[in-house]
């Protein structure tokens, strides 16, 4: 592993003698070498991903019911698949969630005209995540496996991304695999990988965008070294132009915003991050006008981080544009705007104004709501599903019912992060903050910014209804903070055998603790039917409403 306390600028330089040697010295100062174990660099992460994939697909159909917000997104996705946009569902007087009952009975004709006329349903989340859920329903039908398939795929692929990103961040295949293993054993990521809602897609796209800007950092620094050696660009250094990995990052950020709007904060965060990296690279390269050169590279950011994400975002609304039944689809025509294209964009703009206002002003009380300062403490996880049975077999015929006083069996899906990861991340974040303040380590700074961009915007919205599982979008950065600390504990490869063995023992003990905790909580994460007293013993935190 490249030591965390070292930056590329700390690598000692030898006096250059010709252009080739000057390039080698400067490249070494700007870009730390990647591990040479290219085979294990892929094989290790793929093995970890295979393990996590098995966990996520095993018993994916369970519970065979619509859990928590699946009641919205499953039906929206099915409507998009069949009608291009979200339609209103059928209702029956005196029957709650009638459409849900039809779905669980195997029916698929669940849409009807809205009470106010028309078919378009008013929804307040963008389209990308629902399109992915619809892809699973297209392949496997309107059933619990179909509507959870895409979540399981993206939740599994996120593990592979985590392995490769952590490997590049730390220059260690071992630490990369540890990062992926921690993600595969995190209860919150596990549950949301097995639930047909949007947050797993949001997390994946944010993580993928971060991976792209991380690769861009290495690639652009290598190009910078070549340009500086050839004395391109004078004191400010060479112009690098539009970079393909920033284009890829812009695409993923557009998909993230097209899944949930709060991902827009990552556009600002990552733009600031790569600008700081550009300035730092030119300073390390010895350029006199390094600030000017760094800011000069931002000239393409409006294209890669504004225009491109916006284009991707609008493209995900293709179904709404292509049909005439979407909510507010004819708003412009009703208000005298008939210009082609302009009228559709104006209608979409008005729709978004209404939906975003609703989202910011949502204050409906909910028994599982929580505040962002509670999330790392995991004081109020969300029960996605709970049912009581008279016997250890799931099914409507075995429900306990009102007045039942006999032996009870419980089945729950609790969106609960593995405590050893979430509680441990608080110490890791504090350490990374101190390390960044003292040493300006770019890895610690990147991880802290990733957490801040996902977590910070929720703090001012005190009155808004919020849930713990919203924290999934920055969960990868919590894991990366832990892995950076584990890398320091493990020590550099040049350390003594005693130092390395002691570090390995501590790191191994922590991983074993995470594994045991995941195994212990698995029953209430995966919806297993267990005795009530056993279920109650898993409710560790009981202050206030706690975990119940």
């Amino acid at each position: 592993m490249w030591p965390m306390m070292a930056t590329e600028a700390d690598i000692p330089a030898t006096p250059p003698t010709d252009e080739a040697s000057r390039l080698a010295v400067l490249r070494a100062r700007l870009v730390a070498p990647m591990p040479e174990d290219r085979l294990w660099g892929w094989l290790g992460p793929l093995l970890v991903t295979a393990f996590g994939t098995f966990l996520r697909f095993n018993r994916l159909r369970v519970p065979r019911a619509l859990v928590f917000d699946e009641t919205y997104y499953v039906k929206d996705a099915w409507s998009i698949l069949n009608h291009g946009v979200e339609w209103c569902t059928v209702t029956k007087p005196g029957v709650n969630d009638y459409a849900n009952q039809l779905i669980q009975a195997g029916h698929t004709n669940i849409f009807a005209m809205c009470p106010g006329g028309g078919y378009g349903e008013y929804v307040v989340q963008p389209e990308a995540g629902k399109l992915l859920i619809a892809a699973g329903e297209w392949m496997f039908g309107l059933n619990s496996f179909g509507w959870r398939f895409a979540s399981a795929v993206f939740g599994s692929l996120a593990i592979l991304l985590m392995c490769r990103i952590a490997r590049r961040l730390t220059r260690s295949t071992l630490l990369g695999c540890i990062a992926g293993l921690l993600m595969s054993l995190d209860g919150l990521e596990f549950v949301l990988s097995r639930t047909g809602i949007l947050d797993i897609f949001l997390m994946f796209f944010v993580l993928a965008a971060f991976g792209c800007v991380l690769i861009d950092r290495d690639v652009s620094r290598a190009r910078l070294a070549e340009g500086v050696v050839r004395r391109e660009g004078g004191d400010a250094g060479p112009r690098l132009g539009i970079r393909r990995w920033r284009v890829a990052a812009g695409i993923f950020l557009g998909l993230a915003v097209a899944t949930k709007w709060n991902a827009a904060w990552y556009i600002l965060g990552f733009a600031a991050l790569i600008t700081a990296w550009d300035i730092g690279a030119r300073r390390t390269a010895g350029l006199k006008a390094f600030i000017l050169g760094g800011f000069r590279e931002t000239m393409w950011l409006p294209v890669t981080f504004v225009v491109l994400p916006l284009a991707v975002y609008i493209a995900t609304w293709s179904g709404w544009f292509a049909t005439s039944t979407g909510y507010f689809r004819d708003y412009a025509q009703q208000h005298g705007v008939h210009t082609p294209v302009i009228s559709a964009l104006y209608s979409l703009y008005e729709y978004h104004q209404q939906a975003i206002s609703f989202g910011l002003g949502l204050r409906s009380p909910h028994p599982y709501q929580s505040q962002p300062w509670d999330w790392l403490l995991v004081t109020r996880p969300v029960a996605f599903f709970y049912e009581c049975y008279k016997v250890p077999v799931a099914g409507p015929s075995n429900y306990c019912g009102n007045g039942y006083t006999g032996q009870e069996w419980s089945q729950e899906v609790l969106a609960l992060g593995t405590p050893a990861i979430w509680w441990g991340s608080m110490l890791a974040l504090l350490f990374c903050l101190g390390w960044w303040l003292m040493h300006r380590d770019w890895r610690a700074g990147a991880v802290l910014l990733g957490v801040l961009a996902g977590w910070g915007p929720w703090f001012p919205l005190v009155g808004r209804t919020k849930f713990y599982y919203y924290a999934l979008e920055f969960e990868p950065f919590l894991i990366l903070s832990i892995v950076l600390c584990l890398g320091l504990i493990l020590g550099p490869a040049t350390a003594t055998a005693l130092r390395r063995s002691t570090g390995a023992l501590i790191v191994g003990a922590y991983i074993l603790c995470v594994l045991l905790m995941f195994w212990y909580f698995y029953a209430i994460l995966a919806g297993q039917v267990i005795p009530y007293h056993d279920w109650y013993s898993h409710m560790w935190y009981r202050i206030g409403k706690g975990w119940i």
Side-chain angles (χ1 to χ4, degrees), residues 147-421:
W147 66 65
R148 293 172 189 156
F149 175 77
S151 296
V153 168
F154 277 76
S156 301
L157 290 176
I159 298 171
L160 180 60
L161 278 184
M162 175 59 79
C163 290
R164 295 291 297 179
I165 288 171
R167 179 179 184 265
R168 182 171 291 272
L169 192 70
T170 63
R171 299 309 203 246
S172 168
T173 298
L174 174 62
L175 290 178
C177 290
I178 288 174
L181 183 62
L182 292 180
M183 176 173 277
S184 69
L185 295 174
D186 177 54
L188 185 63
E189 206 272 356
F190 172 80
V191 169
L192 290 172
S193 296
R194 295 165 55 87
T195 309
I197 61 177
L198 307 180
D199 298 79
I200 195 67
F201 308 117
L202 169 63
M203 182 273 285
F204 176 87
F205 292 133
V206 168
L207 182 60
F210 179 69
C212 290
V213 299
L214 197 60
I215 296 173
D216 174 71
R217 183 183 188 275
D218 286 346
V219 173
S220 64
R221 282 179 164 237
R223 290 179 58 196
L224 176 65
E226 296 173 0
V228 170
V229 168
R230 291 194 295 264
R231 294 180 173 84
E232 297 175 2
D235 290 342
R239 297 175 182 267
L240 301 182
I242 294 182
R243 310 180 195 174
R244 60 177 181 175
W245 286 106
R246 288 192 181 182
V247 169
I251 293 172
F252 283 121
L253 287 170
L255 289 170
V257 176
T259 302
K260 277 194 167 184
W261 290 315
N262 49 292
W265 291 103
Y266 279 99
I267 295 179
L268 298 176
F270 288 169
L273 182 65
I274 60 179
T275 301
W277 283 351
D278 281 341
I279 294 172
R282 289 164 192 266
R283 181 181 181 183
T284 301
L287 296 171
K288 294 180 180 179
F290 59 88
I291 295 179
L292 173 62
F295 278 112
R296 192 176 61 190
E297 290 301 303
T298 64
M299 67 176 294
W300 293 110
L301 279 182
V303 176
T304 54
F305 274 30
V306 178
V307 175
L308 186 58
L310 181 61
V312 170
Y313 179 85
I314 292 176
T316 63
W317 286 84
S318 298
W320 186 89
F321 284 112
T323 63
S324 60
T325 57
Y327 184 83
F328 258 35
R329 182 61 182 85
D330 57 352
Y331 178 91
Q333 289 88 337
Q334 292 175 357
H335 290 78
V337 180
H338 301 283
T339 307
V341 181
I342 298 299
S343 63
L345 291 174
Y346 178 55
S347 296
L348 187 64
Y349 170 77
E350 290 294 335
Y351 184 178
H352 276 63
Q353 272 200 321
Q354 188 177 118
I356 291 173
S357 296
F358 172 85
L360 292 174
L362 181 61
R363 286 173 169 79
S364 304
H366 193 283
Y368 286 100
Q369 68 186 39
S370 60
Q371 294 294 344
W373 48 83
D374 297 322
W375 293 349
L376 297 190
L377 295 169
V378 198
T379 58
R380 192 59 177 154
V382 182
F384 279 11
F385 177 86
Y386 181 87
E387 195 58 71
C388 171
Y389 303 106
K390 294 178 288 186
V391 295
V393 179
S397 61
N398 298 325
Y399 289 164
C400 292
N402 294 329
Y404 178 74
T405 58
Q407 185 177 5
E408 296 181 6
W409 298 76
S410 297
Q411 182 185 29
E412 182 173 34
V413 175
L414 184 65
L416 171 71
T418 304
I421 293 176

